[in-house]
Structures are given as C-alpha cells and as structure tokens.
Amino acid sequence: MNILLLGSGGREHALAWKIAASPLVDHLVCAPGNAGIAREAECIGLDIASHAAVAAYCKANHIDLVVIGPEGPLCAGLVDDLEAAGIKAFGPTRVAAQLEGSKGFAKDLCRVNNIPTAAYERFRAAGPAKAYARARGAPIVVKADGLAAGKGVVVAQSMAEAEAAIDMMFGGGLGGAGTEIVIEELLQGEEASFFALCDGDTAIALSTAQDHKRAFDGDQGPNTGGMGAYSPAPVIDEAMSARVSAEIIEPTLRAMKAMGAPYKGVLYAGLMITAEGPKLIEYNVRFGDPECQVLMLRLMSDLVPALFASRDGQLKSFDLRWYPEAALTVVLATKGYPGAYAKGSVIEGLDQAASVEGVEIFHAGTRAEAGKILADGGRVLDVCALGSTVEQAQARAYEAIARIRWPEGFCRRDIGWRAIERERRLPAK
Ligand code: AMP
Ligand code: GLY
C-alpha cells in the first residue's frame, strides 16, 4: 500500500522510520519532509494548506492512507476534506481537533463531564479577566484559547505578570489565538504525557513520556517545543495509567461521541500528577514532538495496522506490543533557539554518532546540499537511544552527541534527570 505522511519535524522522521519498516507498505511519500526523512520516504513539495491539492495528489498517486503529523492541518479540517473526497486519513476531524484547537472547548468538556482539571474561567475582555485573576490571586495561569505554537501559556508568578499576559493576549500579541483566553489555577505535582490511540469508541493506551520544555539545564530558560524526552514516565505506573484511562481519556471519548464528533487518532493528554490524582493540563490531538520519537523506538508492533484500525473504528480487540527498555531523546538545537537563530551551518559526524549501540538519530530541521547535512531550523536533530535503564539510554545518547561536530548547535546535558534520580533511589526490579 501507499502512504502519504505530512510534516517535516523529528516526529515525522520517527513516524516515517516506523511506517517504512512495515512489510505492508510499498511506497511512503512525505510532504515536505527533511534530509533524514528522505532516507525513508520520497519527499515531495505539496501545498498542504490547499486541501484540494492534497486530495488530488492522493487520487493521482493511489494513496491508501494520509498520516498527518502536526496539529495545524488537523484543526483546519484536512481529515474532513480528505474523507469527503474518499481518501482515508488518520487523525481527528476539525470539530474533534478542537480538543487542542480551543482550550476553552477542552476545559468546558472537562467541567461538564467531571474530568479532573484545574479550576478555570473563560474570558473575552481584559476587565473581567483581571478581576477574576485578582480574586484568585497569584500564582495563576493565563492561556490563549487558540493555537499559539507553544507561546500561548503564561504561568504568572505575580498579579503584575498575570495582568501583562492578559493585556498582551487581548492586545493581539498572539494574533487570533488570543481573542478569547482561559485563566486557571496553577496545579502542583509532576508533569507527564499520556498517549492513547482512539477510534471514536475505543482508546488503547500507547505509552507515557516526560518532556523537557525549558531551553536550559535544570529546567531554566524560556519554554521551547521540547528539548528532550524519555519513555516510559515512571510517575505513571500501572495503577495511575488505569486512573488516567478511566477518569480522563474514556469520559472524553464518550463525550466527543455524544456530541456527534467521535474522536479518532492520537489523543495526547498533558497531565499533572497531583496529590489528589491525575489532572488534565491540556489535550493535544497528535503525537508529541519529541515524545513520538521515544514512543516509536519502544514500539515493537507494526504501526501501520494500528493507524488503519484507528481510522476504521477497529481498535476494540487490538493489541500493541512494546519493548520493555527505556528510550530517551536529546534535542540538538541551533544556538539562539527558541529565539532568533541562523540557518545553513554544516553538521558532521552523524554516521559515527549513529553507530553507538542502541542509538537512532532522527532529523527535525535539516536539509541536504551537495552531500552535506545543513541545519535548517530551531530544533535540528533528535539523538535517541534505547537502554535497559533511563541512565543507560542517556549515556548512549550523550556518547553519540559527543561524536557530532556542529559548533553552532547546543543541547541540554540533563535530559532524563528526574527518572535517573528515581532509578538511583529505587533500583530496577
Ligand atoms: P504548552 O501549552 O504545551 O505550551 O505548555 C504549557 C506548560 O505550562 C505546561 O507544560 C505546564 O508546564 C504549564 N502549565 C499549563 N497549565 C498549567 C497549570 N494549570 N498548572 C501548572 N502548570 C501549567
Ligand atoms: N513536546 C510537546 C508537544 O509536542 O506539544
């Protein structure tokens, strides 16, 4: 069969690597892809914003399934338009994708269905928003309702900071994403990500991961798309996983179905594991990046039948197998990220790095030119490794990084610290 994958990041390279390994796949095409994806797939230029152009390409090239990596095209209704044209697509419809596309929508769904989440209110004007924030007191969290490329959340430590965030959002600082905002209580606990594969009725737990959102060691510096991750997340043991499914994921699926928008695709729950139990911070309607990279390394089963089962409503008796090892990924980014950075610097030593035992390198923002690999984005490479422990996976990833020659790049040196501290306290069974 023929599969079209949309996207260009490390998440899509990991998906391409896993999809290309499936014996079911004859041809994998990726638009637009990157230099690493080009080793797994035919990369093409395609105007993804034009749903008609994507559908026409699929018809002409006998595409059996379209797999959409990022949230933008999902929230824009690409799945709806492809399905209407008779093309199978993996992921939620436009209405179902509001779980990520509108924070207010997701919060209201939680309120109506008793899904544990931070106390909140929605606002369309600065005056009432500030009054609510003052009544609750700092610290408090201010969120733009719409998609804001990771910049839509301000954890305000003081009332001045909260008011500045409210003014920035209503002042158009985040464009249309900030026409409406959510103000909510700050949750205390350990953050983790929980992934489920859904078919409208059934959700099967994929696995868990922990991300490192801050740019610098010790969780310092500005927020980024994610500087590294590992899987599984030890804070979500089997009992906690069962609670997340029963208290958060399953009620969400039931509610989406009841409103006539059954949820299909990957449901990514950003969670705070609090003293009272798991609480939903936010939903995403796609795989995380870089969490997808560590999930794909640990997935033993063929991914492709699972993608079809999600699309076709056939997950009920589906089973996915995972390697018991830990997987960890360290993101190499261009100096300056998440602020301004230069493109075009040369990266060397990737083959030597990839030869370290257990290591797999996914490209996030690269292009190939005259036989060289050039940096072409903020997040550029994901150096991933499997290990019997997170500590071993971490050692392998950093050993590989030591072989990469790229003076214009940087990475965090402490990815996995929380899990490694826990491993040292509670040595593995
Ligand atoms: P994102 O929306 O992915 O940019 O991430 C926002 C980040 O802000 C989360 O990963 C949390 O670390 C933090 N955050 C958002 N909402 C809350 C909350 N209610 N309580 C505590 N932390 C939060
Ligand atoms: N790594 C966070 C995200 O994909 O949203």
Side-chain angles (χ1 to χ4, degrees):
M1 64 177 61
N2 303 320
I3 294 187
L4 172 64
L5 171 66
L6 301 181
S8 63
R11 167 180 53 209
E12 288 76 22
H13 188 183
L15 290 171
W17 174 80
K18 194 66 192 161
I19 292 170
S22 169
L24 298 170
V25 174
D26 299 305
H27 193 50
L28 174 62
V29 185
C30 184
N34 63 38
I37 295 174
R39 291 204 300 260
E40 311 287 351
E42 177 196 352
C43 291
I44 60 163
L46 191 58
D47 179 8
I48 295 171
S50 166
H51 298 181
V54 179
Y57 176 87
C58 294
K59 286 257 155 96
N61 293 277
H62 311 287
I63 297 294
D64 298 292
L65 183 71
V66 181
V67 180
I68 300 164
E71 63 278 14
L74 295 168
C75 292
L78 182 54
V79 167
D80 310 59
D81 291 335
L82 291 174
E83 292 281 350
I87 297 152
K88 287 191 178 189
F90 171 77
T93 59
R94 186 184 59 78
V95 174
Q98 284 186 91
L99 282 177
E100 176 167 0
S102 165
K103 292 203 154 64
F105 174 89
K107 296 293 293 189
D108 286 353
L109 182 124
C110 288
R111 178 176 279 163
V112 172
N113 296 282
N114 294 316
I115 294 168
T117 190
Y120 75 102
E121 288 302 334
R122 301 173 73 169
F123 298 96
R124 292 187 150 272
K130 288 181 185 174
Y132 177 78
R134 271 195 297 273
R136 290 208 63 112
I140 195 153
V141 184
V142 182
K143 299 184 169 183
D145 184 75
L147 294 181
K151 298 188 178 71
V153 175
V154 175
V155 177
Q157 297 300 336
S158 67
M159 203 43 60
E161 230 182 298
E163 293 191 357
I166 292 167
D167 287 333
M168 178 273 285
M169 289 180 193
F170 284 126
L174 298 171
T179 345
E180 182 172 336
I181 69 169
V182 169
I183 300 189
E184 69 182 35
E185 161 204 11
L186 182 79
L187 297 172
Q188 306 287 347
E190 185 170 341
E191 252 187 277
S193 309
F194 184 99
F195 296 87
L197 188 65
C198 308
D199 72 354
D201 284 304
T202 301
I204 58 174
L206 292 173
S207 188
T208 56
Q210 265 171 320
D211 191 9
H212 299 63
K213 285 190 196 291
R214 300 299 193 97
F216 308 128
D217 287 8
D219 295 326
Q220 300 296 310
N223 260 324
T224 70
M227 294 300 291
Y230 53 89
S231 172
V235 67
I236 304 185
D237 58 14
E238 242 170 77
M240 185 59 73
S241 175
R243 282 191 70 177
V244 173
S245 291
E247 295 172 25
I248 298 178
I249 305 291
E250 283 162 17
T252 300
L253 248 66
R254 284 195 297 271
M256 294 304 292
K257 189 176 179 194
M259 88 174 57
Y263 189 87
K264 295 184 178 189
V266 173
L267 186 58
Y268 158 178
L271 302 173
M272 191 69 85
I273 307 304
T274 72
E276 298 111 70
K279 294 194 179 182
L280 182 73
I281 298 176
E282 62 176 6
Y283 270 134
N284 295 304
V285 297
R286 47 163 177 91
F287 280 110
D289 186 347
E291 295 94 322
C292 182
Q293 290 80 314
V294 284
L295 292 185
M296 290 305 113
L297 269 193
R298 292 190 53 236
L299 181 59
M300 186 189 294
S301 304
D302 189 341
L303 176 65
V304 172
L307 300 176
F308 274 97
S310 160
R311 150 64 179 73
D312 294 337
Q314 299 292 333
L315 281 177
K316 203 170 172 102
S317 47
F318 213 85
D319 188 27
L320 286 172
R321 298 290 165 92
W322 300 85
Y323 292 110
E325 281 87 355
L328 178 139
T329 182
V330 179
V331 172
L332 296 191
T334 307
K335 284 178 183 163
Y337 174 80
Y341 54 83
K343 289 187 180 179
S345 50
V346 178
I347 302 166
E348 293 175 311
L350 289 176
D351 290 342
Q352 296 94 305
S355 69
V356 174
E357 189 181 351
V359 165
E360 197 65 50
I361 298 178
F362 296 124
H363 291 218
T366 62
R367 66 189 163 88
E369 201 177 282
K372 292 198 161 76
I373 299 292
L374 306 183
D376 197 37
R379 293 191 293 174
V380 171
L381 293 167
D382 300 293
V383 179
C384 311
L386 282 169
S388 56
T389 58
V390 175
E391 187 163 21
Q392 186 185 43
Q394 187 204 51
R396 288 171 168 177
Y398 284 118
E399 186 184 337
I401 286 170
R403 299 183 183 192
I404 296 175
R405 295 184 300 282
W406 182 35
E408 292 80 4
F410 79 100
C411 66
R412 278 181 59 162
R413 307 298 317 180
D414 64 347
I415 300 301
W417 67 269
R418 210 186 288 275
I420 291 169
E421 269 185 8
R422 199 183 292 247
E423 283 175 356
R424 288 182 181 153
R425 272 202 320 273
L426 310 163
K429 320 118 238 177

